[in-house]
Amino acid sequence: MPPRPRPARPEDAEAIARIYNDGIEDRLATFETRLRSAADVAGWLEEGFPLIVVEEEGAVVAWASAPPYRPGREAYAGIGEFSAYVARSERGRGLGRTAMDALATEARARGFWKLVSRIFPENEPSLALCRSLGFREVGIYRRHGQLDGAWRDVVIVELLLAD
Ligand SMILES: CC(C)(COP(=O)(O)OP(=O)(O)OC[C@H]1O[C@@H](n2cnc3c(N)ncnc32)[C@H](O)[C@@H]1OP(=O)(O)O)[C@@H](O)C(=O)NCCC(=O)NCCS
């Protein structure tokens, strides 16, 4: 059976947290350092933003989400701030792309007009994924935050979803 993307369900929370924690521990994907629990992810599901998992042979192996870019700001209501995470042992097999394609389809169906994110310049797999999906690299925020006490730059990316 090929990997299958679908909307996340409450029973996926533990796998989603485990996969996110792979990315947090790698220190290449995010400024976040606090490991997440299934309860944290259950809260995301309650918020109701687009959250896609990719299932392969009965196991969740990747996910992508699009929470609001600036919650409460009406003008930005159709902008999702995406994340994509693939289980460490499963990267580079097209699962990130599968998750992001499904996320873009879901976001478009909900009337979103844009996905944005910020990516560490050193995160070549993530930059490659975005390039492959047609994201534009808008520019670089210098010294945008500190990770483990070191200043880090981030590349701003955007994908227009509507014509
Ligand atoms: C970034 C990530 C989501 C990409 O998912 P993936 O399943 O590994 O990537 P895919 O196999 O779908 O590849 C997507 C594209 O990126 C390219 N790519 C993937 N890994 C790459 C690597 N290590 N170096 C260069 N290019 C790479 C692929 O060739 C493919 O390009 P193509 O469509 O032009 O052939 C995944 O590697 C991951 O979970 N990384 C850790 C968490 C993270 O960094 N998340 C992003 C935070 S913004």
Side-chain angles (χ1 to χ4, degrees), residues 13 68 71 133:
L133 290 163

Side-chain angles (χ1 to χ4, degrees), residues 29 84-86 91-97 118-119 123-126 128-129 132:
Y85 285 80
V86 176
R91 293 176 191 160
R93 298 202 294 116
L95 297 169
R97 194 187 168 107
R118 294 166 307 280
I119 300 173
N123 192 348
E124 189 49 43
S126 187
L129 171 65
S132 154

Side-chain angles (χ1 to χ4, degrees), residues 48-94:
F49 53 75
L51 179 52
I52 299 291
V53 295
V54 180
E55 193 179 312
E56 189 174 42
E57 290 172 10
V60 169
V61 286
W63 58 266
S65 68
Y69 164 67
R70 290 282 185 275
R73 292 269 195 112
E74 195 59 31
Y76 299 145
I79 304 177
E81 188 149 20
F82 81 91
S83 291
Y85 285 80
V86 176
R88 194 181 283 127
S89 60
E90 307 298 333
R91 293 176 191 160
R93 298 202 294 116

Side-chain angles (χ1 to χ4, degrees), residues 81-146:
E81 188 149 20
F82 81 91
S83 291
Y85 285 80
V86 176
R88 194 181 283 127
S89 60
E90 307 298 333
R91 293 176 191 160
R93 298 202 294 116
L95 297 169
R97 194 187 168 107
T98 299
M100 284 299 296
D101 277 339
L103 183 74
T105 300
E106 169 78 11
R108 221 177 255 117
R110 293 199 197 191
F112 285 42
W113 58 82
K114 185 187 279 203
L115 294 177
V116 300
S117 196
R118 294 166 307 280
I119 300 173
F120 292 137
E122 302 81 11
N123 192 348
E124 189 49 43
S126 187
L127 290 171
L129 171 65
C130 285
R131 280 184 207 120
S132 154
L133 290 163
F135 276 81
R136 184 172 78 93
E137 291 179 11
V138 178
I140 294 179
Y141 282 134
R142 299 284 180 202
R143 297 175 145 242
H144 204 53
Q146 289 194 356

